[in-house]
Amino acid sequence: MTQARQAGVLMHITSLPEGKVGPDAYRFIDTLVEMGVAIWQTLPVNMPHDDQSPYQSVSAHAGHPGMISTQQLLKEGWCLPNEVDLPLPAVIARVMPRVQSNGVSTVDNHGLSWSGFARFCQAQRYWLEDFSLFLSLREQHQHQGWHQWPETYRLHDDQVLQTYAAIHQETLTLIKFTQYLFFQQWAQLKRYANQHGVKLFGDIPIFVAYDSADVWAHPEWFKLDESLDMTVVAGVPPDYFSETGQRWGNPHYNWARMQAYGFSWWLGRVDTLSTLFDIVRIDHFRGLQAAWEIPASEPTAIHGCWQEAPGDALLQAITRTFPQVSLVAEDLGIITAEVDALRHIYGLPGMKILQFAFGGGEDNPYLPENIEENSVAYTGTHDNDTTLGWYLAAPEHIRAHVQHYLQQVSPEMPQALIQLALQSAACLAVVPMQDILGLDSRARMNTPGTTQGNWAWRMEWSQLTDEKQQVFKQMIKESGRVYV
């Protein structure tokens, strides 16, 4: 990733007008190529809970069915025009027998086939079997968390589950086929992107949800008591975003047991992500060195403590098993010398957020002149306000610092910050689509520590005018960021 200065755009799949891995996604790649953008960064693409947060998914592997494009199925002839607007499960229930009866091999054409589905099920068996059971049982129990299920299901009784699987084979096959569709559509999109010189940049949340197939199927990898209840939960201490910290509520890992088994669960997870993306950001990277552990009984994150993690051994295992994987460290928040040292050992680029650069002294690591080459520079991320919204709401001393730094009384936002990011020494500069469109706080993607009003923003093609495209293209060119 450091071979040439490149530019990227941050926009989640669900922020496309259609919000799916379909025609809009291909059009977006074409647009990136036209602007000279080489990297498309998204948020995690796993299946979320009902709150739609990409960082609280029901599986560390399963793709988000809501991203499956019926328009793409129509284009490929698997779906009829009068079926496109049906609920997705109804569409897939019609597509599956057509694929089964077609019998075309995917060896030559990368398309859907029943033999391809069989190969997918075999290759992904290590997580797909448990996931399909989990999702079916979750539906049976009206989306209750697995810890509220009857004991034989809650405790993952193999004999009981075998009986259940035999009775519900059709449902389980449909769940697996849905995942096959997601992974096939994504593989086709990635192939198209790579053929056009665009790399896909993904995200791996460091923790998983308690109510997930992963914790249900493998409670031994997590810090749970004899009743399989969480004893401690993950979060972060009080910081820039919250005076009481953030109590995420995810279970902490039983790192000693994971390490004893060669981090097999983590390696499987990275294997899945490495097939979906060319570059993977490790969310909350500092948690691989030490993570904030909060007693499960505490309502906030204030009364927690740091617990060390075997990040060096884990990263050794990952880089040894996947020597071609390209990782980025999300090293924001309370970063210690130990966290920095861990990142440097493996040469991982860190993140530099320009919205954090102003209001302090000259040693602020986010100021453009302090950004090192092995970095990814951002105007802001999905957790920040849009740059225009940030500037309009910023305290006077921060705006004054921005104006002094730029030597402009009325800097044009967000273009001024975009230009700083692109002209920085960072090997990669990534700009959220909201900033390219010049949108205010109404287009914010997420406000950390809140559960309402997040993850809903969508772009309209009419917003991305030819003028906005040309302005961004020219800024990329002037910053010496080449399209390769």
Side-chain angles (χ1 to χ4, degrees), residues 91-126:
V91 175
I92 295 175
R94 287 163 171 77
V95 170
M96 188 168 74
R98 291 169 188 157
V99 174
Q100 185 173 12
S101 62
N102 185 268
V104 176
S105 171
T106 62
V107 173
D108 298 320
N109 60 20
H110 303 297
L112 299 177
S113 74
W114 200 248
S115 58
F117 173 48
R119 289 194 295 272
F120 172 79
C121 290
Q122 183 61 35
Q124 308 302 324
R125 182 180 177 84
Y126 68 98

Side-chain angles (χ1 to χ4, degrees), residues 152-470:
T152 51
Y153 293 142
R154 180 169 57 85
L155 298 181
H156 201 276
D157 186 304
D158 287 340
Q159 188 171 351
V160 171
L161 291 176
Q162 287 176 12
T163 302
Y164 180 90
I167 297 171
H168 297 88
Q169 194 60 50
E170 185 176 341
T171 298
L172 299 179
T173 302
L174 193 63
I175 291 171
K176 295 174 186 177
F177 187 78
T178 301
Q179 286 301 305
Y180 171 61
L181 284 183
F182 171 86
F183 278 87
Q184 279 296 104
Q185 287 197 347
W186 190 276
Q188 290 170 345
L189 182 73
K190 184 176 184 293
R191 192 176 303 114
Y192 184 85
N194 291 168
Q195 288 172 349
H196 288 76
V198 174
K199 293 180 179 179
L200 300 186
F201 183 176
D203 202 353
I204 181 169
I206 189 170
F207 296 113
V208 298
Y210 177 55
D211 184 21
S212 66
D214 307 274
V215 180
W216 171 67
H218 295 287
E220 68 273 16
W221 300 134
F222 303 89
K223 288 188 175 180
L224 309 178
D225 62 20
E226 292 181 356
S227 300
L228 302 184
D229 292 323
M230 291 183 290
T231 56
V232 291
V233 298
V236 291
D239 62 6
Y240 168 86
F241 290 112
S242 173
E243 293 181 356
T244 58
Q246 298 175 47
R247 186 189 185 279
W248 296 335
N250 307 76
H252 266 269
Y253 295 118
N254 184 337
W255 281 118
R257 188 175 182 88
M258 283 190 159
Q259 187 167 8
Y261 283 81
F263 302 106
S264 58
W265 181 85
W266 266 96
L267 294 179
R269 193 180 185 196
V270 174
D271 188 30
T272 299
L273 268 292
S274 66
T275 63
L276 296 174
F277 297 102
D278 302 292
I279 306 166
V280 178
R281 184 189 89 139
I282 303 175
D283 180 56
H284 197 61
F285 175 81
R286 73 103 52 243
L288 295 186
Q289 189 277 321
W292 191 247
E293 203 170 77
I294 309 158
S297 58
E298 289 289 332
T300 73
I302 295 175
H303 301 295
C305 62
W306 292 105
Q307 289 293 326
E308 290 192 3
D312 187 18
L314 173 61
L315 288 169
Q316 277 189 42
I318 291 173
T319 54
R320 183 174 59 246
T321 308
F322 306 100
Q324 300 304 315
V325 71
S326 185
L327 300 173
V328 170
E330 187 268 283
D331 56 343
L332 306 176
I334 301 172
I335 303 302
T336 63
E338 291 82 2
V339 178
D340 271 336
L342 181 62
R343 181 175 67 82
H344 286 301
I345 287 172
Y346 295 92
L348 305 186
M351 291 175 57
K352 303 300 180 185
I353 313 300
L354 293 188
Q355 288 186 21
F356 298 161
F358 304 98
E362 294 181 356
D363 60 344
N364 187 318
Y366 301 108
L367 282 168
E369 60 268 27
N370 295 333
I371 295 177
E372 60 185 17
E373 182 182 1
N374 193 30
S375 303
V376 183
Y378 294 81
T379 50
T381 74
H382 64 280
D383 281 335
N384 305 114
D385 201 346
T386 67
T387 293
L388 178 59
W390 161 78
Y391 183 73
L392 293 176
E396 183 56 39
H397 75 283
I398 289 181
R399 287 205 302 274
H401 189 181
V402 172
Q403 292 161 9
H404 177 74
Y405 187 90
L406 295 171
Q407 296 184 333
Q408 297 176 19
V409 177
S410 300
E412 187 177 0
M413 287 292 175
Q415 286 84 350
L417 221 61
I418 293 174
Q419 193 167 35
L420 287 180
L422 291 172
Q423 291 181 345
S424 72
C427 59
L428 174 61
V430 178
V431 181
M433 177 51 71
Q434 293 96 317
D435 286 353
I436 295 171
L437 299 178
L439 302 179
D440 61 21
S441 300
R442 289 171 292 183
R444 181 170 184 161
M445 191 62 168
N446 178 51
T447 303
T450 68
T451 58
Q452 302 293 323
N454 298 319
W455 319 115
W457 178 75
R458 281 196 180 180
M459 180 190 87
E460 297 177 7
W461 284 115
S462 60
Q463 294 174 306
L464 188 57
T465 62
D466 290 341
E467 181 183 0
K468 285 186 169 66
Q469 291 186 52
Q470 289 304 314

Side-chain angles (χ1 to χ4, degrees), residues 23-37 40 189 192-193 196 198 461 464 469 483:
D24 270 347
Y26 289 86
R27 180 178 174 182
F28 188 67
I29 289 170
D30 292 340
T31 303
L32 295 179
V33 172
E34 174 59 30
M35 293 190 298
V37 175
W40 178 5
L189 182 73
Y192 184 85
H196 288 76
V198 174
W461 284 115
L464 188 57
Q469 291 186 52
Y483 175 78

